[in-house]
Amino acid sequence: KNYTYLNDLFATISFLFLAGSTLFLLFSILTIFIFKKENSLAIKIQHYVSMGVLLLFVPVAISAFVLAKEQTEAQNIDGIKEKTQTVSNYLSSQLSTYNSLEENDKEYVSYLLRQTSTLFKSDINLFNNDGEYYTAGLPKLFDEGIISKKINPEVYANQLNNSTGKEVYNENIGRLSFYSAYKNLNNTNKQHLAIINLPYFSKQNQIQAQLFNNLSALFNIYVLSFMLISIAAALLSNWLTGPLQQLQTQLKKVTLQENNEPINYNKSDEIGLLISSYNNMLIKLQQSAEQLSKSEREGAWKEMARQVAHEIKNPLTPMKLSIQHVERLLKTQPEEALKQGQKIIPILLEQIDALAHIATEFSNFAQLPTPNFERINLVSFIKSILPLYQPIDKIDIQFVSDIDNAYVNADKDQLLRVLNNLVNNAIQALEDDKRGKIILSLVKENESYIISVSDNGTGINEDVKQKIFQPNFSTKSYGTGLGLAMCKRIIEQHNGTIWFESEIHKGTTFYFKLQSRKE
């Protein structure tokens, strides 16, 4: 029973090992080919090698299992035959004087079988020439009906007719399977006395144990071989993919701004050709980077020139209108003109200083000047620029806010550019057939201030709202498309945000948010 249990345990372990390995490899294949999982080449090589080894081991293991079982059975059958022959020779010598076994000889024969069973450590049964039970070393099995008192019909036919040389048969008692040997018992004169039967109940355990030992050794060899081959496959795959991993590392380091190092690989195999192509690519990439850098510099200068021209042009229009307004007042109302001149001149000087600053910063390559942050009161700052726009006919410009002081850290010149752009865009969006209204407002939201510039103009179409802050995009035929892009960049440099809301024929409102200054 112990050996049978161990054999079942071995079979279970073997099955789980093969099934687990097969499922693992199938899962790996599914993840590679079906689910498109990104695996390294080294892992793929290990999977393929393991799969090949397993596919090779399965038929080999089955063949070895069958062969080991057959060899074990053959060896044990030979041993059973030899023992049966020995028992037969011994009984023949003991019954040499008998010409037949009669009923009155049964007591002596039974005694003889018990001695022989003890001597050879085996159960012995005798069947007469008619195939009927005669006596046994352990008659209890027959008396209680566990074993039939009729000989196996196949055995009876073969033994009497000598049609085959078969001596060992597989027999069953319930679920118990065992070997049973049969041989004719003859006296010294070759007269047939009976049929000897040796049922190998105990021998069956030895057969199972021997088979278990053989298969255990075979299983251990296969497991060890599989582990060694898997380790060898891992080492081999890492060795083969080493140059590819180096190539992958170098590719991650490739940039347009720096000199990229080539890979040294002297072999002329497929990997060598790949690395050679990579090194040639680095040379071409360096040349392309130089050309691209040159083109970017030229393009940046062109864009900067357009942007500077746009920034200079924006304040010129209100400055011209203000000067024209003062000029008209000089002809009709000299005193009023003097008052307006005293109010406008500081604003004009401030705008001229801003233009001069833009011209000075034009030498900065393809970017706005670095913000010069200072403490600014948004309320007074917005109020200071309103007089510049208020003389414009048919347009009402006003500032609305309930806040007395709103301090932020900002660049005064750049903030002035943002407001100039937004107000000028609002003026240009107004319709000629109705009076224009532009409202600048300031509200506080948590720790930030929101400045808005709203108009009652034409509004912005839905199909262009997504492009409104893109450089070089303009809804006006005479626009450069840099104003709102510049506003967005300035506000973002101030860690703020800018957005807008618009409705066709009702107007547009631009908002930008700045963080409040902590005192």
Side-chain angles (χ1 to χ4, degrees), residues 500-518:
F500 69 94
E501 296 175 356
S502 182
E503 191 173 350
I504 296 297
H505 301 306
K506 289 187 177 181
T508 302
T509 301
F510 277 88
Y511 304 88
F512 63 92
K513 181 190 293 186
L514 298 176
Q515 294 180 355
S516 62
R517 176 188 172 100
K518 296 181 180 179

Side-chain angles (χ1 to χ4, degrees), residues 303 464-474 480-486 488:
E303 181 180 347
V464 300
K465 283 184 176 181
Q466 300 296 328
K467 305 177 183 178
I468 204 70
F469 288 112
Q470 293 181 4
N472 303 325
F473 175 80
S474 177
T480 62
L482 294 174
L484 289 176
M486 182 210 64
K488 185 174 185 293

Side-chain angles (χ1 to χ4, degrees), residues 273-297:
L273 295 176
L274 180 62
I275 292 178
S276 177
S277 300
Y278 165 78
N279 292 335
N280 292 332
M281 181 201 69
L282 291 183
I283 298 175
K284 295 179 180 179
L285 183 63
Q286 184 65 28
Q287 296 173 352
S288 300
E290 294 175 356
Q291 295 177 357
L292 180 62
S293 178
K294 182 179 179 181
S295 300
E296 286 181 346
R297 286 195 297 268

Side-chain angles (χ1 to χ4, degrees), residues 31-291:
T31 54
I32 294 173
F33 295 106
I34 297 179
F35 300 107
K36 305 297 182 184
K37 183 180 178 181
E38 295 294 334
N39 286 322
S40 66
L41 181 60
I43 294 178
K44 290 180 180 179
I45 292 175
Q46 295 175 31
H47 286 169
Y48 295 146
V49 172
S50 299
M51 179 177 62
V53 171
L54 184 63
L55 293 177
L56 177 64
F57 273 3
V58 169
V60 171
I62 295 174
S63 302
F65 176 83
V66 173
L67 181 60
K69 186 176 181 180
E70 290 178 352
Q71 289 180 346
T72 303
E73 289 180 351
Q75 291 174 0
N76 284 280
I77 289 174
D78 290 340
I80 292 172
K81 286 181 178 180
E82 182 179 352
K83 187 173 184 180
T84 304
Q85 183 65 45
T86 303
V87 172
S88 176
N89 293 338
Y90 177 77
L91 290 177
S92 295
S93 64
Q94 296 296 321
L95 300 173
S96 60
T97 60
Y98 288 78
N99 294 323
S100 64
L101 298 179
E102 303 298 337
E103 188 68 25
N104 55 1
D105 299 324
K106 185 179 294 185
E107 183 177 353
Y108 171 72
V109 175
S110 298
Y111 169 76
L112 180 61
L113 289 184
R114 287 194 297 272
Q115 283 187 328
T116 307
S117 297
T118 303
L119 178 63
F120 292 97
K121 298 180 180 179
S122 179
D123 295 334
I124 302 174
N125 307 318
L126 281 183
F127 293 89
N128 60 26
N129 293 331
D130 295 328
E132 299 286 343
Y133 168 73
Y134 181 72
T135 187
L138 293 173
K140 189 175 182 180
L141 296 176
F142 291 91
D143 295 339
E144 294 185 1
I146 297 176
I147 299 178
S148 174
K149 291 186 177 183
K150 299 287 186 179
I151 195 171
N152 188 333
E154 180 186 0
V155 175
Y156 183 70
N158 291 337
Q159 293 299 120
L160 290 183
N161 299 326
N162 293 320
S163 59
T164 65
K166 186 176 181 181
E167 297 181 5
V168 181
Y169 297 83
N170 283 316
E171 294 186 351
N172 299 285
I173 299 178
R175 298 178 61 182
L176 175 64
S177 177
F178 59 94
Y179 287 119
S180 188
Y182 293 88
K183 191 171 182 61
N184 290 331
L185 176 62
N186 302 321
N187 60 15
T188 54
N189 295 324
K190 305 299 181 180
Q191 291 179 328
H192 184 63
L193 300 178
I195 299 175
I196 304 174
N197 171 228
L198 275 71
Y200 285 90
F201 300 110
S202 59
K203 189 70 175 179
Q204 194 68 26
N205 287 336
Q206 298 177 11
I207 295 172
Q208 295 288 344
Q210 186 177 355
L211 180 61
F212 168 75
N213 292 333
N214 292 339
L215 294 179
S216 295
L218 185 64
F219 173 75
N220 291 334
I221 292 173
Y222 280 177
V223 171
L224 180 61
S225 300
F226 188 82
M227 292 176 61
L228 292 177
I229 292 175
S230 299
I231 294 173
L235 296 175
L236 178 63
S237 61
N238 290 331
W239 177 72
L240 289 175
T241 58
L244 294 178
Q245 293 176 355
Q246 183 182 3
L247 178 61
Q248 179 187 13
T249 302
Q250 291 296 109
L251 283 173
K252 290 180 179 179
K253 297 179 180 178
V254 172
T255 59
L256 293 175
Q257 291 79 15
E258 300 177 0
N259 292 327
N260 302 296
E261 296 182 0
I263 300 176
N264 295 323
Y265 189 81
N266 300 324
K267 297 180 181 179
S268 58
D269 53 12
E270 288 79 1
I271 297 178
L273 295 176
L274 180 62
I275 292 178
S276 177
S277 300
Y278 165 78
N279 292 335
N280 292 332
M281 181 201 69
L282 291 183
I283 298 175
K284 295 179 180 179
L285 183 63
Q286 184 65 28
Q287 296 173 352
S288 300
E290 294 175 356
Q291 295 177 357

Side-chain angles (χ1 to χ4, degrees), residues 376-393:
I376 297 175
N377 186 350
L378 291 175
V379 177
S380 59
F381 177 76
I382 295 173
K383 288 180 178 180
S384 67
I385 65 172
L386 287 181
L388 188 63
Y389 295 95
Q390 285 173 343
I392 302 177
D393 295 336

